[in-house]
């Protein structure tokens, strides 16, 4: 699995120090590559992001940034700047390691919050990319380890076609953030990363499964989650395989893949739910779900499907949600009925149920 956590934050910071320390004698007052900030100001920005991300998690910020920022002391130079990056990186790494699973802090894009993995990934991205910006101006090489770039892409850029080979990971990350070009891909003038969506669902939370976690589930792993006994079940692994294939082929659309069904009380996963892909040209999106046998018969699926459907039907590109169920699966038919779906014409030999957006 492509892990993302405190170790990766520390690896990124160590890379930055290794790149920048040999250039401390150069002129850090020049503008960093592609930015309006000087190299020294860009280093200050890196440190500011690292400590701000730590503060969002420790402060349990829910609707805005915790109102503080850091600044270098007057007269600080390049060596001081590197030391501050190392110090603030250590803070974020420690916070990521000690923040409980499921805790989220405010971040504006794209859903208003991120969890510890999201803040770790954003911290790594800030370090790698702005180290590159500084290095460009100072004339030093800044290529980081390929595995670190691959992890950032898988966790934050699921909407970006992945690199074709390990040697291309860094070039792909630079292209994804508007800093480079790739053959056959138009230059990106605007870009955003993607933090996993989380949807409350009564006793459960629907947690979007990243490309990295989906690949682990498809390969027989846990996707980084603790599971109820007997899980993940086969349907969840098949759904993860669909996400993995879509990401590998460059057609995965964040939010329209798979969600883990996680109990809010103890952060234990009990199943998977999601979409077979993004809405089609007519605005129809097909849903599917799978619970570990030990979690069935408790109303979990109905709660989760109701919440997921309500969220999806607020999206302008969705007009109808479709569920296709085998005729003998009475339990699943009851789930969709409780979630507001009504039966429609069969799809071949399968029963079909739909829920429409409100007029």
């Amino acid at each position: 699995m492509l892990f993302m956590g405190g170790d990766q934050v520390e690896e990124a910071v160590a890379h930055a120090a290794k790149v920048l320390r040999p250039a401390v004698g150069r002129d850090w007052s020049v503008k960093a590559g592609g930015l309006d900030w000087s190299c020294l100001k860009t280093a200050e920005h890196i440190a500011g992001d690292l400590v701000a991300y730590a503060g969002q998690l420790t402060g349990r910020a829910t609707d805005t940034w915790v109102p503080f920022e850091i600044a270098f002391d007057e007269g600080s130079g390049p060596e001081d700047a590197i030391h501050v990056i190392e110090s603030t990186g250590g803070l974020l790494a420690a916070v990521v390691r000690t923040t409980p699973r499921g805790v989220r802090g405010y971040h504006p894009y794209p859903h208003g919050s991120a969890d510890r993995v999201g803040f770790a990934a954003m911290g790594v991205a800030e370090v790698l990319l702005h180290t590159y910006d500084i290095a460009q101006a100072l004339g030093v090489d800044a290529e980081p380890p390929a595995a670190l770039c691959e992890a950032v892409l898988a966790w934050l850029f699921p909407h970006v076609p992945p690199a074709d080979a390990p040697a291309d990971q860094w070039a792909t990350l630079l292209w994804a953030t508007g800093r480079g070009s790739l053959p056959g891909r138009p230059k990106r003038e605007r870009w955003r990363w993607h933090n996993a969506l989380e949807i409350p669902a009564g006793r459960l939370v629907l947690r979007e499964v990243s490309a990295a976690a989906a690949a682990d589930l498809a390969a027989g792993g846990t996707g980084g989650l603790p599971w109820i006994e007997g899980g993940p079940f086969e349907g969840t692994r098949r759904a993860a395989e669909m996400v993995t294939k879509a990401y590998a082929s460059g057609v995965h659309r964040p939010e329209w893949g798979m969600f883990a069904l996680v109990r809010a009380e103890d952060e234990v996963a009990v199943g998977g739910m999601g979409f077979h892909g993004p809405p089609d040209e007519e605005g129809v999106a097909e849903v599917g779900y799978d619970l570990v046998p030990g979690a069935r018969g408790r109303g979990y699926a109905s709660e989760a499907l109701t919440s997921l459907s309500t969220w999806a039907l607020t999206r302008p590109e969705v007009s109808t949600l479709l569920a296709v169920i085998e005729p003998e699966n009475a339990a699943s038919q009851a789930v969709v009925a409780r979630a507001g779906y009504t039966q429609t014409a069969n799809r071949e030999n399968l029963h079909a149920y739909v829920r429409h957006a409100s007029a």
Side-chain angles (χ1 to χ4, degrees):
M1 180 173 175
L2 292 170
F3 292 103
M4 182 58 71
D7 289 353
Q8 286 66 41
V9 173
E10 289 181 340
E11 184 180 2
V13 168
H15 162 75
K18 182 180 178 180
V19 167
L20 299 177
R21 198 156 265 132
V24 294
R26 304 187 187 187
D27 183 5
W28 285 50
S29 68
V30 300
K31 286 186 177 180
L35 303 178
D36 292 329
W37 300 324
S38 70
C39 292
L40 196 63
K41 185 65 178 179
T42 303
E44 184 180 69
H45 173 78
I46 294 172
D49 279 339
L50 292 170
V51 77
Y53 293 164
Q56 293 303 98
L57 287 172
T58 58
R60 305 295 194 265
T62 58
D63 56 5
T64 190
W65 291 102
V66 177
F68 77 100
E69 59 183 357
I70 69 166
F72 293 163
D73 287 346
E74 186 175 353
S76 295
E79 180 60 41
D80 302 310
I82 295 168
H83 194 188
V84 176
I85 291 172
E86 290 173 323
S87 300
T88 52
L91 289 174
L92 178 58
V95 168
V96 167
R97 290 189 180 108
T98 56
T99 298
R101 188 190 307 275
V103 168
R104 297 179 76 88
Y106 172 79
H107 190 279
Y109 190 82
H111 305 297
S113 69
D115 62 6
R116 61 187 186 183
V117 174
F119 278 112
M122 290 187 289
V124 171
E126 294 282 359
V127 172
L128 298 186
L129 295 168
H130 288 313
T131 295
Y132 168 78
D133 296 333
I134 297 170
Q136 267 198 310
L138 300 181
V140 294
D141 180 64
E143 183 168 351
L148 206 54
C149 301
E150 185 181 9
V152 171
L153 288 166
W155 285 102
L156 288 183
F157 295 91
H159 50 294
V160 168
D164 295 327
D168 299 332
Q169 301 294 347
W170 178 225
T172 302
L173 182 56
L174 291 177
W175 173 82
T177 57
R179 288 170 167 83
S181 60
L182 285 176
R185 299 189 191 184
K187 184 174 175 58
R188 292 168 68 88
E189 301 296 337
R190 297 172 61 86
W191 61 273
R192 289 283 190 179
W193 54 43
H194 178 84
N195 276 303
L197 172 64
E198 183 172 286
I199 303 173
R203 295 169 293 168
L204 301 176
V205 173
L206 287 95
R207 193 161 294 150
E208 186 178 5
V209 175
S210 71
D216 185 61
L217 280 166
T222 65
L225 291 168
W227 285 81
I228 190 174
E229 185 177 354
F233 205 54
E234 57 187 38
T236 296
R237 295 203 188 279
R238 286 197 300 269
E241 186 176 356
M242 291 172 58
V243 171
T244 302
K245 289 180 177 179
Y247 174 64
S249 60
V251 299
H252 176 59
R253 285 261 312 269
E255 303 169 13
W256 299 105
M258 174 185 170
F259 294 78
L261 305 183
V262 179
R263 288 194 306 224
E265 63 177 0
D266 59 7
E267 284 293 311
V268 172
V270 299
M273 180 173 289
F275 305 96
H276 290 201
D280 63 21
E281 294 180 354
E282 297 180 352
V284 179
E286 185 175 349
V287 298
Y289 45 88
D290 179 62
L291 259 64
V292 178
R296 295 173 186 173
R298 305 181 188 184
Y300 287 147
S302 297
E303 288 181 28
L305 184 58
T306 299
S307 293
L308 181 64
S309 301
T310 299
W311 171 83
L313 290 171
T314 64
R315 301 293 296 267
E317 64 267 44
V318 178
S319 63
T320 303
L321 296 177
L322 168 70
V324 179
I325 304 170
E326 294 177 352
E328 63 273 17
N329 193 342
S332 188
Q333 294 169 37
V335 166
V336 296
R338 286 193 293 267
Y341 288 67
T342 56
Q343 191 166 6
T344 186
N346 286 358
R347 298 294 179 95
E348 296 181 350
N349 296 324
L350 301 176
H351 288 183
Y353 294 79
V354 294
R355 178 173 163 180
H356 300 291
S358 300

